[in-house]
Amino acid sequence: MPDSAQVSFPSDFLWGSATSSYQIEGAVREDGRTPSIWDTFSHTPGKTHNGEHGDTAVDHYHRYREDVALMADLGLNTYRFSVAWPRVQPTGRGPAVQKGLDFYRRLVDELLEKGIAPAVTLYHWDLPQELEDAGGWPARETAYRFAEYAAIVGEALGDRVERWITLNEPWCAAFLGYSSGVHAPGRTDGELALRAAHTLNLAHGLGTSALRAAMPARNTVAVALNSHVVRTVSDDPRDLEAGRRIDDLANGIFHGPMLHGAYPETLFTATASVTDWSFVEEGDLKAIHQPLDALGLNYYTPALVGHAGSAPADAPHSDAHGTGAHSPWPSAEDIVFHQVPGEQTAMGWSVDATGLYDLLKRYDDEAPGLPLYITENGAAYDDRMDADGQVRDHERIAYLHSHLSHVRRAMADGVNVRGYYLWSLMDNFEWAYGYSKRFGMVYVDYETLERTPKASALWYAQAARTGTLADPAPLADPVPDAG
């Protein structure tokens, strides 16, 4: 590892932050927006922490100018946000609602005026409820609806937005939504989850083609994968086999068809008891395997797995994405997830920046030369505002320093990393955890919705402005008011 003083980034490196529509926007019944699966799920008793939901969230829909000014004050040169599908196309079919598109037009204009490059994610989990009622992601028709939606948004914003991402973390959408049921829509059928994964792959491919047909050729299209860094508790062949099965279900199921035009044969073998994969139709893999201009990687923590006998009988059989009676891993219920030793975040996730380095090196091998972006990386901690109005989140500063140092290490080793998006710009609705987990570099008072940059925001702003990583020591001075 290089010393702090030696960690510097190229002048054209992108420094950003990321959010998603349902987590921040609110205004769920305004300007023609209809319910998404997350509206339905979060209003279903027992599905989220304290029954919390995104009806208001942090009211970004009405406060976006304030939020963009804050980004500018923090020196960000790019911002990744997602478009709410039911705000643009309320039923998931047919023409767009212009008032919905107008919000994103205004947001993009505000970003560009402040010198912040927008990066648009088309799908960050808020499927229109009407499409779920028609079958959701397990139904292949949803992929064609997504392509139609992609064309609408690409045509509306493609003249001003150059960076596009089709899907965010399709693993979560498929396996947490349809296998474990801890995410919307809350279904618990392993076969449906595998179908959903394939439909999401098809949606990515069709959506990529639709975007390119609707936008200027200069624009880039990527996908953001939460590719798992899978490690095994030992070199026992049974543990190695467990690791391969999880790797297929976490990674190969998406990067196989997207990057290489084929699913891993070992995936078919391992899941034969769940499905025969007959839902993969002729021509699907060709449609999915569209050339990418870049690849987004989301990383938080590694997974440590072993065979069923490698831990006590009451050890967890799923990773740290929420607890439920059902496993998110079809055909892998016998595999045990071990707690990684060492420091943990408020999510119970291990802090291990070497996993980010390993992830970047892996995808440099998977797709040599393809530009890579860290589209999400960050940590939740139990942040508190002190009596003087400051939030001293020194643990997050140390987390960011270590992870960004390993990004630079990968770049020094020849990996083509172009930018980093910190998750998240501000505290927000954290899915099934409601408002109990704070990932933001900006503190949000959920009573008043006042935004207060944390110490980590100061540290990250300095990194963005200088391209260097300051020693992760406490910072006390407040940032200027956004305005």
Side-chain angles (χ1 to χ4, degrees):
M1 272 303 301
D3 294 333
S4 297
Q6 298 173 312
V7 178
S8 61
F9 289 78
S11 60
D12 60 351
F13 190 79
L14 291 179
W15 297 88
S17 64
T19 63
S20 85
S21 50
Y22 189 73
Q23 292 180 273
I24 66 167
E25 284 181 2
V28 296
R29 299 177 187 86
E30 293 188 33
D31 295 334
R33 184 189 180 282
T34 56
S36 73
I37 56 175
W38 267 99
D39 293 279
T40 302
F41 186 81
S42 63
H43 281 275
T44 302
K47 296 298 185 182
T48 66
H49 176 76
N50 289 339
E52 292 166 348
H53 49 71
D55 286 9
T56 300
V58 295
D59 199 30
H60 175 73
Y61 192 76
H62 299 111
R63 298 170 182 251
Y64 70 92
R65 289 188 177 90
E66 172 190 351
D67 293 336
V68 173
L70 185 55
M71 295 178 218
D73 285 344
L74 294 175
L76 304 188
N77 56 26
T78 185
Y79 171 57
R80 176 185 171 225
F81 65 92
S82 76
V83 173
W85 192 345
R87 196 178 293 288
V88 169
Q89 210 183 17
T91 66
R93 297 177 175 83
V97 171
Q98 290 304 314
K99 285 186 176 180
L101 279 175
D102 285 345
F103 167 70
Y104 297 107
R105 292 184 177 110
R106 293 192 300 271
L107 174 59
V108 166
D109 288 345
E110 196 75 14
L111 290 165
L112 293 175
E113 184 179 321
K114 298 290 188 181
I116 301 169
V120 170
T121 301
L122 287 173
Y123 186 72
H124 200 130
W125 309 349
D126 43 1
L127 183 73
Q129 183 61 45
E130 236 181 87
L131 288 185
E132 174 60 26
D133 295 341
W137 284 113
R140 65 181 290 117
E141 179 64 19
T142 305
Y144 295 93
R145 301 282 64 76
F146 177 79
E148 179 182 73
Y149 157 68
I152 289 170
V153 182
E155 185 174 349
L157 303 179
D159 60 330
R160 286 159 294 165
V161 178
E162 295 187 8
R163 293 178 179 85
W164 292 77
I165 293 169
T166 53
L167 309 173
N168 180 76
E169 298 188 354
W171 183 89
C172 292
F175 294 105
L176 301 184
Y178 293 92
S179 185
S180 70
V182 298
H183 277 197
R187 297 163 78 176
T188 55
D189 185 317
E191 198 269 345
L192 290 182
L194 294 169
R195 284 180 176 267
H198 178 67
T199 306
L200 284 155
N201 282 331
L202 185 59
H204 160 74
L206 296 174
T208 297
S209 297
L211 281 174
R212 288 187 169 134
M215 301 190 309
R218 68 175 183 273
N219 292 358
T220 63
V221 181
V223 64
L225 302 177
N226 60 319
S227 296
H228 291 49
V229 175
V230 182
R231 295 168 175 169
T232 58
V233 292
S234 80
D235 291 333
D236 184 311
R238 295 168 297 175
D239 292 333
L240 296 176
E241 171 63 11
R244 186 199 54 73
R245 286 162 60 194
I246 293 300
D247 190 74
D248 279 349
L249 283 166
N251 302 322
I253 194 170
F254 296 109
H255 77 225
M258 289 182 184
L259 298 180
H260 308 303
Y263 286 106
E265 286 298 326
T266 47
L267 173 68
F268 293 152
T269 302
T271 58
S273 62
V274 180
T275 181
D276 62 2
W277 291 82
S278 59
F279 47 81
V280 179
E281 297 186 5
E282 185 175 354
D284 283 0
L285 290 169
K286 182 178 180 181
I288 295 166
H289 187 211
Q290 299 299 314
L292 288 172
D293 300 302
L295 178 64
L297 297 172
N298 298 356
Y299 174 80
Y300 293 94
T301 189
L304 184 62
V305 304
H307 72 283
S310 64
D314 60 353
H317 288 252
S318 64
D319 58 1
H321 286 89
T323 57
H326 300 269
S327 170
W329 305 99
S331 75
E333 292 84 356
D334 59 320
I335 293 174
V336 174
F337 285 77
H338 295 249
Q339 177 62 54
V340 178
E343 180 188 349
Q344 297 178 25
T345 70
M347 298 289 287
W349 297 350
S350 166
V351 177
D352 188 340
T354 65
L356 180 53
Y357 174 84
D358 291 347
L359 185 68
L360 290 168
K361 289 289 287 182
R362 174 181 183 163
Y363 280 91
D364 185 55
D365 291 338
E366 289 279 350
L370 186 68
L372 303 178
Y373 292 84
I374 306 305
T375 36
E376 288 183 26
N377 177 238
Y381 289 105
D382 295 324
D383 302 321
R384 297 287 185 272
M385 182 175 285
D386 294 336
D388 61 359
Q390 295 189 47
V391 182
R392 295 174 170 85
D393 57 335
H394 302 145
E395 290 174 304
R396 183 174 289 106
I397 293 173
Y399 179 101
L400 295 175
H401 183 275
S402 64
H403 284 74
L404 280 161
S405 295
H406 278 280
V407 171
R408 189 64 187 92
R409 175 188 168 206
M411 295 170 69
D413 288 344
V415 181
N416 187 13
V417 188
R418 301 286 185 86
Y420 177 94
Y421 292 84
L422 185 155
W423 185 271
S424 177
L425 174 65
M426 53 192 165
D427 298 331
N428 54 50
F429 176 77
E430 185 51 40
W431 307 114
Y433 293 97
Y435 297 94
S436 67
K437 305 297 182 186
R438 293 180 178 269
F439 276 89
M441 64 173 167
V442 173
Y443 184 90
V444 177
D445 182 322
Y446 291 128
E447 294 296 322
T448 66
L449 298 182
E450 181 179 359
R451 280 90 154 123
T452 303
K454 305 173 187 178
S456 62
L458 285 174
W459 184 89
Y460 189 68
Q462 182 175 339
R465 291 192 176 102
T466 66
T468 60
L469 305 183
D471 186 71
L475 299 175
D477 297 331
V479 295
D481 292 336

